[in-house]
Amino acid sequence: MHRPVKPGETAVPLLGFGTWPLTGAEARGAVATALETGFRHIDTAQMYANEAEVGAACEASGLARESLFIATKVDRHNAATGRVAGSVSRSLDALRTDYVDLLLLHWPPPAAPDFDSAIGQLLEVAHSGAARAIGVANCNVPLLRRAQALARGAIATNQVEFHPLLDQTRIADCAASLGVQLTAYCPLARGAVLEDPVIVAVAERLGAMPAQVCLRWITQQGVAAVCMSRRRANMEANRRSLALTLSERDLAEIASARRRGLRIVDIAGWAPDWDA
């Protein structure tokens, strides 16, 4: 079994390359470029239909497997009892690896027994050595508390929509109380942050790009950010965001934008009752 993440460690590297909605040759090329620009945390999912391309790009990079952090997610339709392990085996084959660094339940299944069963199955996968760490995605406060209890403290992260234009204080506070790191998807609010006057003003003051300021606002809080771009220049700029240091004034000003209440991903029939 691979070494588990120890208490106090950052479970998920702070900046990752997201692969949705990339598919086919575009996905393989983008991941290859991301690796060339220094990304080592690559995020995919069964439902993205690009695990094979991610695996091919990682293998072709020549980088040692131990230097990569590969995360994938179990589709909610594979969460039923007895289905998780088989789906993970297929994911590993596609990714050309014998383990993933992080395995998430992508969306909570509609039936509570399936959610409980899925958490147990994630633990079994981890115990088999096929996943170094496990977690969830798109869980609200009650579901995150339930997952962590069922997993006996093994939930490493909850991947949720997280950016300065959405107030996620409640889930962030809950995660902190449970020792769970948050991972942000849609960290740039699909471009909306690039034109937000508060973020633009902070970026101008720092001589940085709005996207860099937004990403650093996230990662400086210890939240991992998974960002996708098709352009090398943007990938390189996103990587440089980690070199920024935001002041308390910067952090507070950016946090004030949360009143916008912009939620981008809210799939009817899939999303739980989000925390207000």
Side-chain angles (χ1 to χ4, degrees), residues 171-243:
I171 192 65
D173 288 347
C174 173
S177 73
L178 296 172
V180 174
Q181 182 185 7
L182 288 186
T183 299
Y185 69 75
C186 287
L188 304 181
R190 294 194 183 158
V193 301
L194 306 182
E195 299 178 355
D196 186 85
V198 172
I199 296 169
V200 169
V202 173
E204 289 177 349
R205 187 165 69 233
L206 295 177
M209 300 168 64
Q212 292 175 317
V213 167
C214 179
L215 290 172
R216 191 58 180 139
W217 180 82
I218 294 169
T219 60
Q220 198 165 310
Q221 298 179 67
V223 177
V226 173
C227 51
M228 189 283 290
S229 178
R230 294 174 172 85
R231 298 180 57 213
R232 178 185 293 268
N234 288 344
M235 295 179 196
E236 292 172 342
N238 291 344
R239 286 274 301 153
R240 291 196 300 272
S241 69
L242 292 173

Side-chain angles (χ1 to χ4, degrees), residues 29-215:
V31 172
T33 302
L35 293 171
E36 290 170 6
T37 60
F39 280 91
R40 294 295 180 264
H41 168 194
I42 308 295
D43 180 270
T44 183
Q46 293 173 354
M47 70 176 293
Y48 296 171
N50 63 15
E51 288 176 317
E53 288 74 21
V54 169
C58 289
E59 183 177 72
S61 73
L63 294 166
R65 175 64 184 89
E66 294 75 18
S67 71
L68 301 176
F69 185 97
I70 299 175
T72 197
K73 311 176 196 74
V74 174
D75 190 288
R76 71 199 294 262
H77 300 298
N78 289 327
T81 299
R83 296 184 62 178
V84 170
S87 77
V88 172
S89 179
R90 292 189 293 274
S91 290
L92 295 180
D93 287 344
L95 289 165
R96 308 186 188 197
T97 183
D98 60 358
Y99 71 98
V100 289
D101 298 274
L102 178 63
L103 181 68
L104 305 177
L105 175 62
H106 203 161
W107 285 89
D114 284 343
F115 180 81
D116 293 2
S117 173
I119 299 302
Q121 291 176 84
L122 290 181
L123 278 173
E124 291 174 2
V125 171
H127 290 155
S128 77
R132 286 193 59 205
I134 62 170
V136 292
N138 298 298
C139 280
N140 59 12
V141 166
L143 284 172
L144 182 57
R145 291 190 183 282
R146 184 168 186 81
Q148 189 65 310
L150 290 166
R152 301 184 292 279
I155 298 298
T157 192
N158 181 20
Q159 187 177 116
V160 295
E161 181 176 343
F162 192 99
H163 51 74
L165 308 185
L166 178 66
D167 190 351
Q168 289 284 47
T169 303
R170 284 193 63 198
I171 192 65
D173 288 347
C174 173
S177 73
L178 296 172
V180 174
Q181 182 185 7
L182 288 186
T183 299
Y185 69 75
C186 287
L188 304 181
R190 294 194 183 158
V193 301
L194 306 182
E195 299 178 355
D196 186 85
V198 172
I199 296 169
V200 169
V202 173
E204 289 177 349
R205 187 165 69 233
L206 295 177
M209 300 168 64
Q212 292 175 317
V213 167
C214 179
L215 290 172

